[in-house]
Amino acid sequence: SAVTDMSNMFSGTRALTKLDLSNFDTSSVTNMSGMFSGASALTTLDLRDFDTSAVTNMSFMFSGAKALKTLDLRNFDTSAVTNMSNMFLGITALSSLTLGPDFHFHSDAGLPEIEANDMYTGYWQNIGKGTAKNPQGEYVFTSAELMDQYDGTKMADTFVWQPRHPIPAKYVLDGENVVINIKDIDENLDILSLANVTAVNENDDTE
């Protein structure tokens, strides 16, 4: 593709909830500043097919995408980037961030801190061998620490908000003796409401 400038391409598209960019040729693009800024209804962005090896400007790229919960940047190569200021500014709903071996944060990228509450510790944790609801990775960072210490050569993974009460792989609803696999748990389940739930050992014959 001869396109070199995609700055502000989807900026301010407030009604846009989904975006399929799997066939985008970004191999010649040098400017992605503000590309998704203000796309305030987007909840998920899968940019795993983006070739960003020539990009120098990613400033404000996702700023103001306040509904964005999941962002997949596993193939982002930021080695040529000279401006990453406020790339993640204001995306306070972001709770799942996939980073790859060639991603490098700049200190001013603006990844929002996670608010500690009854459900979350305020830290990012890589999933490792666990799940998004029960991460098992060894890397636990605040947003500032993640930007400062992320090393793609050994930390490439999906980072999620660390839960205070990880949901076990299976649980039983008292009285009904029903086993529910974690894949069936609704994404928006309030785990604090599961007062009548007990964990089930993987080897139990409760099914």
Side-chain angles (χ1 to χ4, degrees):
S1 172
V3 178
T4 60
D5 189 346
M6 289 187 175
S7 61
N8 300 310
M9 180 171 278
F10 301 102
S11 178
T13 49
R14 295 181 180 86
L16 197 64
T17 58
K18 294 181 180 179
L19 200 53
D20 181 0
L21 301 175
S22 55
N23 294 316
F24 253 45
D25 182 354
T26 59
S27 57
S28 300
V29 177
T30 59
N31 189 353
M32 289 186 176
S33 65
M35 188 171 180
F36 304 98
S37 66
S40 54
L42 271 180
T43 57
T44 302
L45 260 182
D46 184 347
L47 304 181
R48 73 180 72 186
D49 294 325
F50 266 35
D51 179 349
T52 63
S53 56
V55 179
T56 59
N57 190 348
M58 289 185 178
S59 62
F60 295 92
M61 187 171 181
F62 305 106
S63 68
K66 58 186 179 182
L68 194 61
K69 293 182 178 180
T70 304
L71 187 56
D72 190 334
L73 307 179
R74 72 184 64 190
N75 288 323
F76 264 44
D77 179 352
T78 61
S79 56
V81 174
T82 57
N83 187 353
M84 198 182 275
S85 64
N86 295 309
M87 181 177 180
F88 302 100
L89 181 69
I91 53 172
T92 52
L94 187 69
S95 57
S96 176
L97 177 60
T98 303
L99 302 171
D102 297 314
F103 190 93
H104 309 278
F105 280 102
H106 290 202
S107 61
D108 59 354
L111 186 66
E113 290 297 332
I114 303 166
E115 181 181 353
N117 54 33
D118 290 340
M119 293 184 66
Y120 299 104
T121 64
Y123 290 86
W124 293 95
Q125 182 176 6
N126 65 308
I127 288 177
K129 294 181 179 179
T131 64
K133 295 293 186 183
N134 190 10
Q136 299 290 319
E138 61 181 297
Y139 303 111
V140 179
F141 298 123
T142 64
S143 291
E145 290 168 344
L146 181 58
M147 288 189 292
D148 181 57
Q149 300 178 36
Y150 178 75
D151 179 353
T153 61
K154 58 182 180 181
M155 299 180 188
D157 199 354
T158 296
F159 285 79
V160 295
W161 290 0
Q162 184 184 49
R164 289 193 186 278
H165 312 282
I167 296 179
K170 296 181 180 181
Y171 63 78
V172 169
L173 295 174
D174 288 348
E176 296 182 30
N177 205 34
V178 177
V179 176
I180 302 178
N181 290 306
I182 195 165
K183 61 181 173 57
D184 298 322
I185 297 176
D186 185 83
E187 192 66 24
N188 298 313
L189 181 68
D190 181 356
I191 59 177
L192 296 179
S193 69
L194 299 180
N196 61 336
V197 166
T198 52
V200 179
N201 191 297
E202 285 288 344
N203 298 319
D204 279 1
D205 296 320
T206 325
E207 295 175 316

